Amino acid sequence: SPCCCGGANGGSSSLWPHPRSVREYASHRKKVHTVAWNCSGTKLASGSVDTSVRVWTIDEGGRASDVELKGHSDSVDQLRWDPKNEHLLGTASGDKTVRIWDARTSKCVHAIETRGENINIRWSPDGQHLAVGDKEDNISIIETRKCKALRTMKFPHEVNEMAWDPSGRLFFLTTGAGNVDVFSFVDLLKPPPAPPKPGDGSAAPAPAATLTGHTANCYCLEFSPSGERFAVGGADALVSLWDVKELACVATFARLEWPVRTLSFSHDSSYIAAGSEDPLIDVAHVATGKQALAVPVKAPSNSIAFHPKRMLLAFAGDDKDKMGRDEGSLRILGFPS
């Protein structure tokens, strides 16, 4: 069962009129790298350096039970649920596989081998494709029905998190140059002009647009549920907010001091949470840019995720116990205390 471990402070009570208490959930043997809610908000998944995935069923009051999904042989660095199917979970691991799991049976239904150690994963809005990125700057596009890689592209520079726009027509990719490259997804699927050498990824096509808003590497990218905005987090400690239609930067939030590693919009698109190596998670009120909430943390944040229907924020980081061992826990803010 979860334990209550304090609450959030700072920010404005008028901008955050919601519960602030935080509960801790411990089950992993090593630190948790990634957390994500399914589209209905009935389940929360967590992936860890201990190679396991856990799926948590959490009731209205915050009581939880969890099931372990076994199959990966290396760290699970990122996981995301199918946006259209509340039972299907995709996981990216350092073991050079991507796995798709059915939460109803807790079984792996597909294991797809990839070229490198995977660190990023994203579903297309219709659930028909997965994009997977590895440590060697390869991006693979996987067709989920046949579970087959349609194309693997090798980028000549650092590439990090990626996402489709809400229409599914544009594909956004954060880069080490401080830019976001925007591609036509149809163009990404076209066969490369020359056949690559066996074992090589094809060269990536030129982006349709390049968005410049950061002075250092861009790491993370999230679209708002409303589809009107997207946010980018970078090594310059900034969060930039962009208009989807205009592809123009409309605001920046500069309260953090360390590189922004992880972002999440609330279900109503009114808040954006940002995690870094700072001792807090900054929750910004999107309309005013002001800090609505500061969630204290004791270790660098690895992953944060707002619930798709309620004002609950799940988060996990590099927390250690008094003996210096990984805690292996995640926390959720927002249940009534």
Side-chain angles (χ1 to χ4, degrees):
S1 65
C3 73
C4 215
C5 52
N9 52 27
S12 154
S13 55
S14 62
L15 292 179
W16 183 269
H18 310 289
R20 296 168 173 237
S21 66
V22 173
R23 296 191 184 198
E24 180 180 350
Y25 301 81
S27 243
H28 287 284
R29 295 176 297 282
K30 291 186 178 171
K31 64 185 174 187
V32 177
H33 264 177
T34 175
V35 291
W37 298 95
N38 69 351
C39 60
S40 62
T42 55
K43 295 192 185 302
L44 176 72
S46 56
S48 168
V49 177
D50 69 10
T51 77
S52 77
V53 175
R54 289 190 175 269
V55 174
W56 303 78
T57 304
I58 300 171
D59 72 14
E60 292 283 312
R63 287 182 298 277
S65 59
D66 67 301
V67 177
E68 185 174 6
L69 310 185
K70 292 179 182 171
H72 282 300
S73 59
D74 204 334
S75 175
V76 179
D77 280 347
Q78 198 168 55
L79 48 73
R80 296 187 192 271
W81 295 85
D82 182 330
K84 295 292 188 193
N85 184 332
E86 65 179 0
H87 305 297
L88 288 186
L89 174 67
T91 57
S93 169
D95 65 8
K96 300 188 178 180
T97 70
V98 171
R99 288 178 181 260
I100 298 175
W101 311 78
D102 187 329
R104 290 166 296 194
T105 61
S106 304
K107 295 279 194 303
C108 174
V109 288
H110 297 289
I112 304 144
E113 291 191 12
T114 58
R115 183 165 289 125
E117 296 175 39
N118 301 305
I119 50 175
N120 290 306
I121 188 168
R122 183 81 68 164
W123 296 79
S124 61
D126 61 7
Q128 300 295 305
H129 295 93
L130 274 171
V132 183
D134 68 22
K135 289 182 178 176
E136 303 300 317
D137 304 312
N138 295 297
I139 301 280
S140 298
I141 306 292
I142 294 165
E143 202 248 26
T144 54
R145 205 162 37 89
K146 295 179 182 166
C147 286
K148 173 172 145 248
L150 300 176
R151 186 170 181 192
T152 297
M153 293 156 285
K154 172 74 175 171
F155 284 81
H157 49 257
E158 178 187 315
V159 292
N160 295 307
E161 282 190 9
M162 64 308 239
W164 279 264
D165 78 324
S167 75
R169 290 194 291 269
L170 296 178
F171 185 80
F172 289 63
L173 182 60
T174 57
T175 77
N179 303 326
V180 178
D181 286 343
V182 185
F183 299 87
S184 155
F185 183 53
V186 173
D187 289 349
L188 278 191
L189 293 183
K190 286 178 184 166
K197 294 182 211 152
D200 275 3
S202 60
T210 294
L211 312 180
T212 305
H214 290 262
T215 56
N217 317 47
C218 293
Y219 290 138
C220 47
L221 171 75
E222 290 296 331
F223 279 84
S224 67
S226 69
E228 295 170 359
R229 298 274 189 264
F230 66 93
V232 179
D236 53 8
L238 291 179
V239 176
S240 57
L241 187 68
W242 299 73
D243 180 278
V244 169
K245 279 192 185 143
E246 304 292 330
L247 295 183
C249 183
V250 294
T252 54
F253 307 132
R255 279 182 293 272
L256 296 171
E257 294 181 11
W258 292 87
V260 179
R261 295 177 167 193
T262 174
L263 294 168
S264 184
F265 278 96
S266 60
H267 66 89
D268 62 356
S269 303
S270 63
Y271 301 104
I272 176 100
S276 66
E277 290 181 42
D278 288 71
L280 60 91
I281 294 167
D282 179 69
V283 181
H285 183 242
V286 171
T288 62
K290 291 180 178 171
Q291 185 179 71
L293 196 64
V295 185
V297 291
K298 293 178 185 161
S301 299
N302 291 328
S303 183
I304 57 180
F306 267 114
H307 189 280
K309 296 181 178 177
R310 297 178 61 188
M311 283 301 174
L312 299 173
L313 180 67
F315 56 99
D318 290 345
D319 298 78
K320 307 272 189 199
D321 65 16
K322 288 174 184 166
M323 306 292 289
R325 295 173 302 218
D326 286 354
E327 263 184 12
S329 58
L330 61 95
R331 291 170 171 81
I332 301 175
L333 172 136
F335 286 115
S337 51

